[in-house]
Amino acid sequence: MLKKKEVVKAKCKAEEMIRKAGIKIIPKEAEKIDVADFGLSNLNKEGAQILTFFNTERVSAKVIAMFSYQTMPEHWHPSVKDDPGKEETIRVIDGTLYMYIPGEDNMQYGFIPEGKDDCYTVRHELVMKSGDQVTLEPGTKHWFQAGEEVAIFYSMSTCARDLLDGFTDPDVVRKTEIAE
Ligand code: ZN
């Protein structure tokens, strides 16, 4: 659960970060930035600010702004009926993004949020900077963390069905609840 005040503040900050990264957005879009705490009520530690430019039955484009050391919980995009699941390309625009995927544990720069060892199981670290990109096959577990500054990146993918995503942390609720 997030407080309305917290959401407004995070939205403003994310809007500023996106603009500073050189991505032009109009006020109507800024208003639509989704401040997601994944039901964990600890936005600055585990959360993300997501602006969806469009999401059709076939293609989706988003820009994601993450605050310093903010972590997006480990998740994967499962198959839905005859769709194999979301294939996603992450491309960093500004800042540093630590990206975690399956493979050899070489974690060096990022960290597991305190007490959450069981919720972050893939530990192959990619250090991504402006211009770096990676494509994730459907069903691949992944999570990200912003570096000391911030991280602004595009998520370009096939159709996003966020509410059906799988999360390792059983406490995650994808739909953000906002209290007055
Ligand atoms: Zn994803």
Side-chain angles (χ1 to χ4, degrees):
M1 180 95 67
L2 283 173
K3 293 217 174 76
K4 207 169 171 187
K5 247 165 95 181
E6 211 179 345
V7 172
V8 171
K9 203 174 134 199
K11 242 188 215 187
C12 279
K13 196 167 153 190
E15 178 185 355
E16 206 182 290
M17 282 160 59
I18 292 168
R19 292 227 166 91
K20 216 177 132 210
I23 301 168
K24 300 235 171 11
I25 57 170
I26 58 175
K28 211 166 79 188
E29 288 173 319
E31 189 45 46
K32 269 187 0 190
I33 295 172
D34 178 26
V35 176
D37 76 338
F38 300 94
L40 302 171
S41 306
N42 202 353
L43 181 69
N44 291 320
K45 292 220 162 113
E46 289 177 291
Q49 294 63 235
I50 305 164
L51 169 56
T52 299
F53 290 123
F54 63 88
N55 183 27
T56 71
E57 277 299 304
R58 301 175 66 180
V59 183
S60 170
K62 305 177 179 206
V63 60
I64 302 178
M66 293 178 68
F67 305 147
S68 175
Y69 297 123
Q70 196 180 28
T71 305
M72 180 182 287
E74 181 174 281
H75 66 281
W76 64 95
H77 307 292
S79 61
V80 179
K81 290 186 196 150
D82 52 357
D83 178 340
K86 183 170 103 167
E87 178 191 292
E88 181 176 26
T89 294
I90 300 295
R91 180 179 172 91
V92 176
I93 306 302
D94 198 16
T96 304
L97 183 70
Y98 303 128
M99 165 101 201
Y100 298 91
I101 56 174
E104 185 212 342
D105 180 350
N106 63 342
M107 213 171 156
Q108 190 183 352
Y109 297 102
F111 58 88
I112 307 281
E114 214 186 314
K116 292 262 176 139
D117 268 299
D118 296 346
C119 305
Y120 292 87
T121 62
V122 296
R123 311 254 172 116
H124 186 72
E125 181 179 75
L126 305 175
V127 177
M128 299 176 70
K129 307 244 183 203
S130 177
D132 290 337
Q133 64 180 40
V134 63
T135 298
L136 303 158
E137 292 302 319
T140 307
K141 277 188 183 165
H142 55 285
W143 58 281
F144 343 95
Q145 188 169 70
E148 191 186 348
E149 321 127 68
V150 294
I152 311 286
F153 53 99
Y154 286 124
S155 164
M156 303 180 217
S157 71
T158 57
C159 175
R161 297 182 173 90
D162 297 343
L163 297 178
L164 301 176
D165 286 347
F167 284 86
T168 309
D169 185 344
D171 293 336
V172 164
V173 180
R174 182 58 186 87
K175 197 170 178 337
T176 303
E177 281 193 54
I178 300 167
E180 279 305 314

